[in-house]
Amino acid sequence: FFKYPLHEREVLNNVTFEIKKGEVIGVAGSSGSGKTTIADLILGLINPTKGVIQIDDQMLGNENLLSWQEMLSYVPQNTFILEGSIKENITFGSNDETEESKDLLNDAIDKAGLREFIESLPKGVETEVGEKGYMISGGQKQRIGIARAFYSIPKILVLDEATSALDEETERLIMDAIINMNKNMTIIIVTHRLRSLKYCDRVVKLKKGKIVFDGLPSDIIKS
């Protein structure tokens, strides 16, 4: 259960489901259904009003929150952009200049569909993006956020409307790369778009804070 202090009703009401390691799971629903609240709970940004979150048999709490968050990578709809270069925004300021890290950066750029854009810039990855990324488009910001996730190679990836500013073909290419990035990686796709659900093994749909569907994406797309 979860209730925001200034809300009268609970945003999540008796929501229980399990995510298996290596699963690609969709959390679907319209605006206000509670899907972003579920993402925030999984990320450990907020705590349940009532009930628990368990990882294996361990209850998520203050004593293990940081070690849990170290395994996560989060790509939101509105990607946080540093006032720095494209490279700094992908590596999040890492000063690692080894060949391995350079290969990782190049791989992340290719998989996020940023190569053509970066090669069109005189300074390439060293190009400054400005405060809050005002010098680049919303789609380019989202791709930088996705490249950041590729660079960090997380065990659990949370995509919260992370491809909403991309066209269908670009989304397909990026999602194919994400799904194939690491077969052991658990991926949680929070979305209101039906076309994004086709990449999932399973979909949980929310309506007014309750689960109204838990099953195959093909079944929810048909209905």
Side-chain angles (χ1 to χ4, degrees):
F1 296 79
F2 186 82
K3 180 179 178 294
Y4 289 102
L6 299 180
H7 284 215
E8 289 186 11
R9 70 176 182 86
E10 287 167 322
V11 180
L12 296 176
N13 187 341
N14 197 25
V15 169
T16 302
F17 66 101
E18 186 179 83
I19 301 170
K20 293 182 170 63
K21 181 179 177 180
E23 189 172 33
V24 181
I25 184 167
V27 179
S30 58
S31 179
S33 62
K35 60 187 188 297
T36 294
T37 302
I38 281 188
D40 289 344
L41 285 163
I42 290 169
L43 293 165
L45 301 177
I46 54 177
N47 298 315
T49 309
K50 187 167 63 175
V52 296
I53 297 170
Q54 286 184 298
I55 300 102
D56 296 330
D57 294 323
Q58 300 295 313
M59 192 169 75
L60 183 62
N62 291 333
E63 68 284 351
N64 57 11
L65 179 60
L66 285 178
S67 60
W68 167 244
Q69 290 176 333
E70 284 173 358
M71 295 192 286
L72 297 164
S73 188
Y74 174 55
V75 185
Q77 181 174 7
N78 299 310
T79 302
F80 174 74
I81 298 292
L82 298 166
E83 187 175 356
S85 67
I86 292 172
K87 178 182 175 182
E88 287 170 328
N89 271 284
I90 294 173
T91 65
F92 239 35
S94 170
N95 295 317
D96 190 348
E97 291 295 333
T98 62
E99 286 303 314
E100 184 181 357
S101 67
K102 289 177 183 177
D103 289 344
L104 206 55
L105 175 61
N106 282 318
D107 188 52
I109 287 168
D110 288 334
K111 286 179 176 175
L114 278 167
R115 177 64 61 193
E116 186 177 349
F117 169 62
I118 288 172
E119 288 185 347
S120 72
L121 303 169
K123 292 186 178 180
V125 290
E126 301 299 338
T127 302
E128 297 284 322
V129 298
E131 187 178 359
K132 297 182 180 178
Y134 78 90
M135 297 172 72
I136 56 178
S137 71
Q140 287 156 356
K141 288 177 188 176
Q142 282 198 331
R143 288 178 191 171
I144 285 173
I146 292 164
R148 191 183 290 161
F150 281 124
Y151 184 83
S152 64
I153 315 179
K155 291 184 178 178
I156 300 152
L157 177 61
V158 181
L159 303 170
D160 189 355
E161 305 284 7
T163 58
S164 61
L166 306 178
D167 61 79
E168 189 168 359
E169 177 61 14
T170 303
E171 180 186 38
R172 184 186 65 78
L173 292 171
I174 288 173
M175 287 306 302
D176 284 346
I178 288 171
I179 300 301
N180 293 317
M181 181 164 67
N182 182 349
K183 293 300 183 184
N184 292 318
M185 184 170 66
T186 305
I187 303 172
I188 301 162
I189 301 173
V190 180
T191 185
H192 70 279
R193 297 200 302 194
L194 279 176
R195 78 181 194 208
S196 300
L197 299 177
K198 64 185 178 183
Y199 304 100
C200 303
D201 300 318
R202 179 172 141 241
V203 175
V204 172
K205 184 181 178 183
L206 294 164
K207 186 175 182 180
K208 295 182 179 179
K210 294 184 177 183
I211 292 176
V212 293
F213 177 89
D214 186 345
L216 296 173
S218 55
D219 291 340
I220 198 169
I221 288 168
K222 282 177 188 175
S223 66

